[in-house]
Amino acid sequence: ASCSGQKEDNGVAYEKEMKISTAADLEGKAVAVQLRSAEDEYVVSYKLTNYPKRYSDMTKAVQDLIDKKVAAVVVDSHYAEQLTDGVKGVKIIDASVGQVEYRFLLNKSDEKLAEKMNEQIAALKESDDYPSMIESELTGGKSYRVAKDSDKALKKTFTLITEPSFKPFTYDNKGEVKGLFAAIADGIVYGCGGKLTATTVEPVEINDTSSADAEEVTSFTDNEAQTVKGKKNAFCVVAAEAKEDDTVFITTDSFYTSELVMIIREEEKK
């Protein structure tokens, strides 16, 4: 049975004997995920629960966990550290829930640019900037940008098209797009000899963000991709590879692998 105000058809948020230590324990539970995120898609696609509860503000998700309105929070491992820092009564379960790879999506006509971006992705991941960027953006909550040579001529402009409310991965800050994905895109574009601009696309309207029906939540990537379509030197972020028979888009190599973990109420650890 469910309690703490959680409706029965929205999954179990709290039971006196509830124990959660692996992804298999999420079945039948009310699980908090970030709205339109890879975590959202992963939890639904792999049927970890039929009761995802979707949030645009993950600090609210953690508070709802404390208030026993959800049984667990599934989120990126680095971001989990930021969300739980100094918060009493919650703990991160180290066992991985799964992994999601992020890539950039471009028009098929920009295949040469994709090749250059792949070279820069590999170079960035081997640099000292990469771990520092992840630590700063996802754990420390601070912006990080690769150092640039002021004398270097940047001949082209590349456009990142993204959602403005996916903090800390991409978000709008006083008209400027920031976050981990924006920082990585900026570093990669700079390595390609260009400068980055960013255009935000408002998400589609969703009336019920706590619905268990995944089909009611339209993938934001579809909206971003349609904005990219036909625009030269424009790209967005996707959490899946392009289909082999796709004649419209192409994806780069993975630039970030998100390790998904669970945050639970501390007393519930086995």
Side-chain angles (χ1 to χ4, degrees):
S2 60
C3 57
S4 299
Q6 187 77 20
K7 295 181 180 179
E8 187 174 353
D9 62 354
N10 280 346
V12 176
Y14 174 75
E15 286 179 346
K16 193 171 184 179
E17 300 301 324
M18 181 184 291
K19 301 292 182 182
I20 298 176
S21 60
T22 68
D25 298 326
L26 297 177
E27 184 178 359
K29 308 296 193 302
V31 178
V33 291
Q34 192 158 12
L35 180 62
R36 281 182 299 274
S37 68
E39 293 94 326
D40 186 345
E41 184 177 349
Y42 189 94
V43 165
V44 172
S45 296
Y46 287 88
K47 302 184 185 304
L48 300 184
T49 181
N50 289 327
Y51 307 101
K53 188 170 183 182
R54 299 172 170 104
Y55 294 80
S56 57
D57 180 356
M58 293 307 288
T59 59
K60 177 65 167 58
V62 173
Q63 185 58 53
D64 276 1
L65 175 65
I66 294 170
D67 294 340
K68 300 179 179 179
K69 295 179 180 179
V70 295
V73 177
V74 172
V75 70
D76 175 88
S77 59
H78 294 284
Y79 188 27
E81 294 179 23
Q82 180 181 327
L83 287 171
T84 58
D85 185 31
V87 179
K88 295 181 179 180
V90 299
K91 192 163 187 174
I92 300 169
I93 294 294
D94 293 331
S96 174
V97 172
Q99 290 183 333
V100 177
E101 289 189 344
Y102 288 96
R103 304 166 185 265
F104 293 116
L105 178 144
L106 308 82
N107 287 289
K108 190 78 171 180
S109 58
D110 280 331
E111 192 166 358
K112 288 185 178 180
L113 173 58
E115 292 175 359
K116 290 182 180 179
M117 291 179 73
N118 283 338
E119 292 175 1
Q120 293 305 315
I121 288 171
L124 178 62
K125 290 172 78 171
E126 290 295 322
S127 72
D128 293 334
D129 279 310
Y130 190 70
S132 298
M133 188 178 292
I134 293 171
E135 174 73 19
S136 181
E137 295 281 356
L138 297 188
T139 303
K142 297 180 180 179
S143 295
Y144 185 100
R145 289 293 184 271
V146 173
K148 299 176 182 178
D149 182 354
S150 59
D151 295 328
K152 183 176 180 179
L154 303 176
K155 298 179 180 180
K156 292 185 178 181
T157 298
F158 303 88
T159 304
L160 171 65
I161 296 171
T162 186
E163 178 178 354
S165 56
F166 190 43
K167 195 172 184 177
F169 298 95
T170 53
Y171 60 96
D172 183 276
N173 181 28
K174 298 180 180 179
E176 182 179 357
V177 176
K178 294 190 175 184
L180 178 65
F181 295 168
I184 290 176
D186 184 61
I188 290 170
V189 162
Y190 176 70
C192 291
K195 56 184 177 180
L196 183 74
T197 62
T199 299
T200 56
V201 182
E202 289 299 325
V204 294
E205 182 177 354
I206 298 175
N207 295 322
D208 183 6
T209 59
S210 65
S211 172
D213 187 353
E215 293 182 356
E216 291 189 19
V217 179
T218 302
S219 170
F220 187 86
T221 300
D222 293 340
N223 198 15
E224 290 176 307
Q226 288 307 309
T227 306
V228 167
K229 190 174 181 179
K231 289 184 173 62
K232 189 173 179 57
N233 298 334
F235 55 92
C236 67
V237 175
V238 292
E241 296 183 45
K243 296 179 181 178
E244 292 182 2
D245 61 350
D246 196 330
T247 59
V248 178
F249 299 113
I250 187 172
T251 57
T252 66
D253 294 337
S254 171
F255 65 80
Y256 179 67
T257 299
S258 181
E259 192 79 45
L260 308 184
V261 298
M262 296 181 293
I263 304 173
I264 65 167
R265 289 185 287 274
E266 194 167 22
E267 69 272 18
E268 292 174 350
K269 184 181 178 182
K270 286 184 177 179

